[in-house]
Amino acid sequence: MNFNTNSRLIFGFGVQVLLTSILGIGVLLSMTEVQQQFQFVVAHDAPVIDNARQLSKLVVDMETGQRGFIITGQDEFLEPYNEGAGKFDALIEVERRLVSDNPAQVEALDEIKRLVREWKEQAAEPEIAMARKIETHRVDAEHLQTVLRRGVGKALMARFMALGHELEVAFSGRGDWEGAFAVEIIEKSMTDREDGQRGFLITGREEFLDKYNAGEQEKLPEFFARLRALVTRRGRDNELSEKVDQLEALGREWTEKAAQPEIAARREMNAHPETAKDVANLLQIGTGKHIIDEVRGNFDDFISVEMALSAQHFTAAQHTAASARNATIVVLIIASLLGLGMAIATSRSIARPLAQLVSGAEAVGRGDLEIQVTTESTKEIDELARTFNSMVAGLAKAATKRDELEMQLRHSQKMEAIGQLTGGIAHDFNNILAIILGNLEALESHIGADDEAAKFLEPIQKSAQRAIELTQKLLVFSGCRSTTTDVTNINQVIADMESLIARVQNLEVTIHYHFAEDLWLTDINRGDFEDTLINLALNARDAMPNGGTITLATHNRILDDDYCARNPDAKPGEYVELMVSDTGEGMSLEQQQHIFEPFYTMKDTGTGLGLAMVYGFTKRSGGHIKVYSELGVGTTFRFYLPRTDASEQRQQTVDREPETLPRGGLQTLLVVDDEEGLLILAKRQLESLGYRVLVASDAEQALAVLAEEAHIDLLFTDVVMPGMNGFELSERATALRPGLKVLLTSGYEQYAMAQTGETRFIADLLSKPYTKADLAREVWALVGKASPAA
């Protein structure tokens, strides 16, 4: 803070002192008018006394009308009573305001008001009610049925549950499962209240209202307070806060318009009509007369006090006016002396906190987002400090709703890199397995069943087959292996698997199913989806060795831009959601970051591919997966599978396989593969089937053979090769030899399909590793009827 600013502040306070002095002089000159105003204030005592007399007469009129009705039973006698009851509270409040500076008189009025209320509650109203019930009491079960037939409670409860479900959807759509759980608890509390209220209506027994009263007085206020605190803490939008308010308002509306009237109707049905003897007893006791006499006496005392105070006020006002003149002169002198000191002190109170704010801003500029500024200054400076602290907190928060996004992006990139690495390893392993299986087939054909060496072939074949299955899983996870899909209603799939899911659980595990009505369809591979369910059911069982609860639920969900901004691997759109939740041991944050990686497992046994397959299935389906877990609480998986517009399941047809392997008739085949073992194996297998086979170890050699050979019926080529790949070779070969048949082979099925797109080559693809029978059928389908080369 520089000197000029301080000077300006001192000048400003000097001007303030000057203005105060001018105002003081003005007050001094207007003392005569002040005295007149004080005298006017004294005049208010007259309205106080007059109003008190009106109140006393009003009470007498009320009693006269009430007594007249009791004696005659005619309603016109109640007009003074009803009119007086309506005016009394208003007039008594006016009187309280007029004497608000006198606590003793206010207390006297409160006592009068209490006595009148006591007279109405203990005498007037009971006597009137009894008199009416002697003539008109008709309370029976039909009255309660009339109340219930209006259906107010049922309609309000339906609106409450619909809005609660909408809030639950809004919270879970944002990934806020704590908020969704809080709404579920509120819905259950309202259901308990309704059950208790209905039990009372049916039986008339008061103990059924315990649950109803507990929900209204304890549970619901507490749960709504928690929900509001959660919305505030999360910084939710106004629309969500308004919906919470609407939900609470619906609960109150149900209580006031349905529950309470219905309970009151039932209680009336339980009551017994009073008799004329009861009225006579009340009148004989004389409760009403005794209270009215006390009210009249209190009003007389109140008026006497006010009349005495009126005289005192007039004298005191004159003395106050004279004293005010002297006090004003003293105040002007003191104000002049203190003005300069106030200016200097105020200047310092502004300069110091502003310097703290400048220092804090410099710290933020250096990257310190934990700085907080504390000031004790003017309201404006303190507000500026709070705004500054809020800004720093917002910056820190943004650096954090950013670090989290970067972590999710890194995880997504890591999973992509792992998939590529896994696919590459599986592809090379596939080639090795193809050579092993092919040579095993050839060896089996040369060894008789009685040969001593035959017993060693079976375990080798089984082990190789297990290795193939493992490789296929790795290829599926890495996205290199495609799967067929069908338009599927996952509600039906889960329902079909209920018995199987139940069998993999132990006796202490309870399974709950919640299926959404009118669930959207999704285009997925049903087998992969079933594997996903089994994997998650097994994981949930292992996480609950002492038993627990598994919940499977489906919903229709819309992921909006806000959700996708917080989850970079998700895309906006309509999705079918599957939630699988358990109450098991839960996982740490570190474990959650690795659970989808291949070979990562938290169990003593297992391959570590279960959740990797789950992740691969979700990504192949174009979906999104979200995991929420807490140690000691449990784990929830949420899958979002894209909605499809198709309405019918595609039907797949399978050609009948021939009884024996089809053989060629000296058709000429060109086999291309950069793996020498596979090249030799394919040549031997095709030649044993009756074909003439030419080979090439890369695309360039293959094109040279095509240029030299007069007639070639089929090009059988690997897709993934160094230099020119199989797809590019196929395009150039068919351009060179129109009509040439092409059969592609690859362990990277997804890659091959992506490359071929919608061309004719997509139908002619043989996945590795293949058997001799697979190769025989594919080749025969393409060239079996073609004329062999000359």
Short mmCIF file of all heavy atoms in Angstrom, two decimals, residues 512-541:
data_model
loop_
_atom_site.label_atom_id
_atom_site.label_comp_id
_atom_site.label_asym_id
_atom_site.label_seq_id
_atom_site.Cartn_x
_atom_site.Cartn_y
_atom_site.Cartn_z
N HIS A 512 -30.19 -60.90 -5.36
CA HIS A 512 -31.38 -60.11 -5.69
C HIS A 512 -31.32 -59.69 -7.15
O HIS A 512 -30.26 -59.27 -7.64
CB HIS A 512 -31.47 -58.87 -4.80
CG HIS A 512 -31.65 -59.18 -3.35
ND1 HIS A 512 -32.72 -59.89 -2.85
CD2 HIS A 512 -30.88 -58.87 -2.27
CE1 HIS A 512 -32.61 -60.01 -1.55
NE2 HIS A 512 -31.49 -59.41 -1.15
N TYR A 513 -32.47 -59.76 -7.83
CA TYR A 513 -32.55 -59.35 -9.22
C TYR A 513 -33.55 -58.19 -9.33
O TYR A 513 -34.65 -58.26 -8.78
CB TYR A 513 -33.02 -60.50 -10.13
CG TYR A 513 -32.06 -61.67 -10.17
CD1 TYR A 513 -32.18 -62.72 -9.26
CD2 TYR A 513 -31.04 -61.72 -11.12
CE1 TYR A 513 -31.30 -63.80 -9.30
CE2 TYR A 513 -30.17 -62.79 -11.16
CZ TYR A 513 -30.30 -63.83 -10.25
OH TYR A 513 -29.43 -64.88 -10.30
N HIS A 514 -33.17 -57.14 -10.05
CA HIS A 514 -34.06 -56.01 -10.31
C HIS A 514 -33.99 -55.69 -11.80
O HIS A 514 -33.00 -55.14 -12.29
CB HIS A 514 -33.63 -54.78 -9.49
CG HIS A 514 -33.63 -55.02 -8.02
ND1 HIS A 514 -34.79 -55.07 -7.27
CD2 HIS A 514 -32.62 -55.23 -7.14
CE1 HIS A 514 -34.50 -55.31 -6.01
NE2 HIS A 514 -33.18 -55.41 -5.90
N PHE A 515 -35.04 -56.07 -12.53
CA PHE A 515 -35.07 -55.88 -13.98
C PHE A 515 -35.89 -54.64 -14.34
O PHE A 515 -37.02 -54.49 -13.88
CB PHE A 515 -35.68 -57.10 -14.69
CG PHE A 515 -34.88 -58.36 -14.51
CD1 PHE A 515 -35.48 -59.53 -14.09
CD2 PHE A 515 -33.51 -58.36 -14.75
CE1 PHE A 515 -34.75 -60.70 -13.93
CE2 PHE A 515 -32.77 -59.52 -14.60
CZ PHE A 515 -33.39 -60.69 -14.18
N ALA A 516 -35.32 -53.77 -15.16
CA ALA A 516 -36.05 -52.60 -15.63
C ALA A 516 -37.09 -53.03 -16.66
O ALA A 516 -36.83 -53.89 -17.52
CB ALA A 516 -35.09 -51.59 -16.27
N GLU A 517 -38.28 -52.44 -16.56
CA GLU A 517 -39.30 -52.72 -17.57
C GLU A 517 -38.97 -52.00 -18.87
O GLU A 517 -38.34 -50.94 -18.87
CB GLU A 517 -40.67 -52.27 -17.06
CG GLU A 517 -41.14 -53.03 -15.81
CD GLU A 517 -42.51 -52.57 -15.36
OE1 GLU A 517 -43.07 -51.67 -16.02
OE2 GLU A 517 -43.01 -53.11 -14.36
N ASP A 518 -39.40 -52.58 -19.99
CA ASP A 518 -39.17 -51.98 -21.31
C ASP A 518 -37.69 -51.68 -21.52
O ASP A 518 -37.31 -50.60 -22.01
CB ASP A 518 -39.99 -50.69 -21.48
CG ASP A 518 -41.48 -50.95 -21.35
OD1 ASP A 518 -41.91 -52.02 -21.79
OD2 ASP A 518 -42.18 -50.09 -20.82
N LEU A 519 -36.84 -52.66 -21.15
CA LEU A 519 -35.39 -52.47 -21.30
C LEU A 519 -35.04 -52.41 -22.79
O LEU A 519 -35.55 -53.18 -23.60
CB LEU A 519 -34.63 -53.61 -20.64
CG LEU A 519 -33.12 -53.44 -20.53
CD1 LEU A 519 -32.79 -52.32 -19.56
CD2 LEU A 519 -32.45 -54.74 -20.08
N TRP A 520 -34.15 -51.48 -23.14
CA TRP A 520 -33.70 -51.36 -24.52
C TRP A 520 -32.91 -52.60 -24.93
O TRP A 520 -32.39 -53.35 -24.10
CB TRP A 520 -32.82 -50.12 -24.68
CG TRP A 520 -33.55 -48.84 -24.48
CD1 TRP A 520 -34.87 -48.59 -24.69
CD2 TRP A 520 -33.00 -47.61 -23.98
NE1 TRP A 520 -35.18 -47.29 -24.37
CE2 TRP A 520 -34.06 -46.66 -23.95
CE3 TRP A 520 -31.72 -47.19 -23.60
CZ2 TRP A 520 -33.87 -45.35 -23.53
CZ3 TRP A 520 -31.53 -45.88 -23.18
CH2 TRP A 520 -32.58 -44.96 -23.14
N LEU A 521 -32.81 -52.80 -26.25
CA LEU A 521 -32.02 -53.91 -26.79
C LEU A 521 -30.59 -53.46 -27.04
O LEU A 521 -30.32 -52.28 -27.23
CB LEU A 521 -32.65 -54.41 -28.10
CG LEU A 521 -34.09 -54.92 -27.99
CD1 LEU A 521 -34.61 -55.31 -29.37
CD2 LEU A 521 -34.19 -56.10 -27.04
N THR A 522 -29.67 -54.44 -27.07
CA THR A 522 -28.28 -54.13 -27.37
C THR A 522 -27.71 -55.22 -28.26
O THR A 522 -28.17 -56.37 -28.22
CB THR A 522 -27.44 -54.01 -26.08
OG1 THR A 522 -26.13 -53.58 -26.40
CG2 THR A 522 -27.39 -55.32 -25.32
N ASP A 523 -26.74 -54.89 -29.11
CA ASP A 523 -26.16 -55.81 -30.09
C ASP A 523 -24.84 -56.33 -29.53
O ASP A 523 -23.81 -55.66 -29.58
CB ASP A 523 -25.93 -55.07 -31.42
CG ASP A 523 -25.65 -56.05 -32.55
OD1 ASP A 523 -25.78 -57.27 -32.33
OD2 ASP A 523 -25.28 -55.59 -33.65
N ILE A 524 -24.86 -57.55 -28.96
CA ILE A 524 -23.68 -58.10 -28.30
C ILE A 524 -23.52 -59.57 -28.64
O ILE A 524 -24.42 -60.18 -29.23
CB ILE A 524 -23.78 -57.94 -26.76
CG1 ILE A 524 -25.03 -58.67 -26.25
CG2 ILE A 524 -23.75 -56.49 -26.35
CD1 ILE A 524 -25.12 -58.72 -24.74
N ASN A 525 -22.39 -60.14 -28.26
CA ASN A 525 -22.18 -61.57 -28.35
C ASN A 525 -22.72 -62.20 -27.07
O ASN A 525 -22.21 -61.94 -25.97
CB ASN A 525 -20.69 -61.90 -28.52
CG ASN A 525 -20.45 -63.39 -28.62
OD1 ASN A 525 -20.34 -64.08 -27.61
ND2 ASN A 525 -20.35 -63.88 -29.83
N ARG A 526 -23.73 -63.02 -27.19
CA ARG A 526 -24.39 -63.56 -26.00
C ARG A 526 -23.46 -64.43 -25.19
O ARG A 526 -23.45 -64.37 -23.95
CB ARG A 526 -25.64 -64.35 -26.41
CG ARG A 526 -26.30 -65.06 -25.23
CD ARG A 526 -27.65 -65.56 -25.53
NE ARG A 526 -28.20 -66.29 -24.38
CZ ARG A 526 -29.48 -66.38 -24.10
NH1 ARG A 526 -30.36 -65.78 -24.87
NH2 ARG A 526 -29.91 -67.07 -23.05
N GLY A 527 -22.64 -65.25 -25.86
CA GLY A 527 -21.71 -66.11 -25.13
C GLY A 527 -20.74 -65.31 -24.29
O GLY A 527 -20.46 -65.65 -23.13
N ASP A 528 -20.18 -64.22 -24.87
CA ASP A 528 -19.27 -63.38 -24.11
C ASP A 528 -19.98 -62.73 -22.93
O ASP A 528 -19.41 -62.58 -21.85
CB ASP A 528 -18.68 -62.29 -25.01
CG ASP A 528 -17.69 -62.86 -26.02
OD1 ASP A 528 -17.30 -64.04 -25.85
OD2 ASP A 528 -17.32 -62.13 -26.96
N PHE A 529 -21.24 -62.33 -23.14
CA PHE A 529 -22.01 -61.71 -22.04
C PHE A 529 -22.25 -62.72 -20.92
O PHE A 529 -22.14 -62.39 -19.74
CB PHE A 529 -23.33 -61.18 -22.58
CG PHE A 529 -24.19 -60.54 -21.53
CD1 PHE A 529 -23.84 -59.32 -20.98
CD2 PHE A 529 -25.34 -61.16 -21.05
CE1 PHE A 529 -24.61 -58.71 -20.00
CE2 PHE A 529 -26.12 -60.57 -20.08
CZ PHE A 529 -25.75 -59.34 -19.55
N GLU A 530 -22.56 -63.97 -21.29
CA GLU A 530 -22.76 -65.00 -20.27
C GLU A 530 -21.47 -65.26 -19.50
O GLU A 530 -21.49 -65.41 -18.27
CB GLU A 530 -23.27 -66.29 -20.93
CG GLU A 530 -24.68 -66.16 -21.48
CD GLU A 530 -25.10 -67.39 -22.27
OE1 GLU A 530 -24.21 -68.21 -22.60
OE2 GLU A 530 -26.30 -67.54 -22.55
N ASP A 531 -20.32 -65.30 -20.22
CA ASP A 531 -19.03 -65.46 -19.54
C ASP A 531 -18.78 -64.31 -18.57
O ASP A 531 -18.25 -64.50 -17.48
CB ASP A 531 -17.89 -65.53 -20.56
CG ASP A 531 -17.92 -66.82 -21.37
OD1 ASP A 531 -18.58 -67.79 -20.91
OD2 ASP A 531 -17.30 -66.87 -22.44
N THR A 532 -19.16 -63.10 -18.98
CA THR A 532 -18.98 -61.92 -18.12
C THR A 532 -19.78 -62.08 -16.83
O THR A 532 -19.27 -61.82 -15.73
CB THR A 532 -19.43 -60.65 -18.86
OG1 THR A 532 -18.54 -60.41 -19.96
CG2 THR A 532 -19.43 -59.44 -17.94
N LEU A 533 -21.04 -62.52 -16.94
CA LEU A 533 -21.86 -62.71 -15.74
C LEU A 533 -21.27 -63.75 -14.80
O LEU A 533 -21.20 -63.56 -13.58
CB LEU A 533 -23.28 -63.14 -16.14
CG LEU A 533 -24.21 -62.04 -16.67
CD1 LEU A 533 -25.55 -62.66 -17.04
CD2 LEU A 533 -24.40 -60.96 -15.64
N ILE A 534 -20.81 -64.88 -15.37
CA ILE A 534 -20.24 -65.94 -14.54
C ILE A 534 -18.97 -65.46 -13.86
O ILE A 534 -18.73 -65.72 -12.67
CB ILE A 534 -19.98 -67.19 -15.39
CG1 ILE A 534 -21.31 -67.80 -15.86
CG2 ILE A 534 -19.21 -68.22 -14.58
CD1 ILE A 534 -22.24 -68.20 -14.74
N ASN A 535 -18.11 -64.75 -14.62
CA ASN A 535 -16.87 -64.24 -14.03
C ASN A 535 -17.16 -63.33 -12.84
O ASN A 535 -16.53 -63.42 -11.78
CB ASN A 535 -16.07 -63.46 -15.09
CG ASN A 535 -15.14 -64.35 -15.88
OD1 ASN A 535 -14.52 -65.25 -15.33
ND2 ASN A 535 -15.04 -64.12 -17.17
N LEU A 536 -18.13 -62.41 -13.01
CA LEU A 536 -18.45 -61.48 -11.93
C LEU A 536 -19.11 -62.19 -10.75
O LEU A 536 -18.87 -61.85 -9.59
CB LEU A 536 -19.35 -60.37 -12.46
CG LEU A 536 -18.69 -59.43 -13.47
CD1 LEU A 536 -19.69 -58.45 -14.02
CD2 LEU A 536 -17.54 -58.68 -12.83
N ALA A 537 -19.94 -63.19 -11.04
CA ALA A 537 -20.57 -63.95 -9.96
C ALA A 537 -19.53 -64.71 -9.14
O ALA A 537 -19.59 -64.75 -7.91
CB ALA A 537 -21.61 -64.92 -10.53
N LEU A 538 -18.54 -65.30 -9.82
CA LEU A 538 -17.48 -66.02 -9.12
C LEU A 538 -16.63 -65.06 -8.29
O LEU A 538 -16.26 -65.35 -7.14
CB LEU A 538 -16.60 -66.76 -10.14
CG LEU A 538 -17.24 -67.99 -10.81
CD1 LEU A 538 -16.35 -68.50 -11.91
CD2 LEU A 538 -17.50 -69.09 -9.79
N ASN A 539 -16.29 -63.90 -8.87
CA ASN A 539 -15.50 -62.92 -8.12
C ASN A 539 -16.25 -62.44 -6.88
O ASN A 539 -15.67 -62.26 -5.80
CB ASN A 539 -15.17 -61.72 -9.01
CG ASN A 539 -14.04 -62.03 -9.98
OD1 ASN A 539 -13.36 -63.03 -9.84
ND2 ASN A 539 -13.86 -61.18 -10.95
N ALA A 540 -17.58 -62.19 -7.04
CA ALA A 540 -18.38 -61.74 -5.90
C ALA A 540 -18.43 -62.81 -4.82
O ALA A 540 -18.32 -62.51 -3.62
CB ALA A 540 -19.79 -61.38 -6.37
N ARG A 541 -18.57 -64.07 -5.24
CA ARG A 541 -18.60 -65.17 -4.25
C ARG A 541 -17.28 -65.24 -3.49
O ARG A 541 -17.25 -65.37 -2.26
CB ARG A 541 -18.85 -66.49 -4.97
CG ARG A 541 -18.88 -67.70 -4.03
CD ARG A 541 -18.65 -68.99 -4.79
NE ARG A 541 -17.32 -69.04 -5.37
CZ ARG A 541 -16.91 -69.99 -6.22
NH1 ARG A 541 -17.74 -70.95 -6.59
NH2 ARG A 541 -15.68 -69.98 -6.70
#
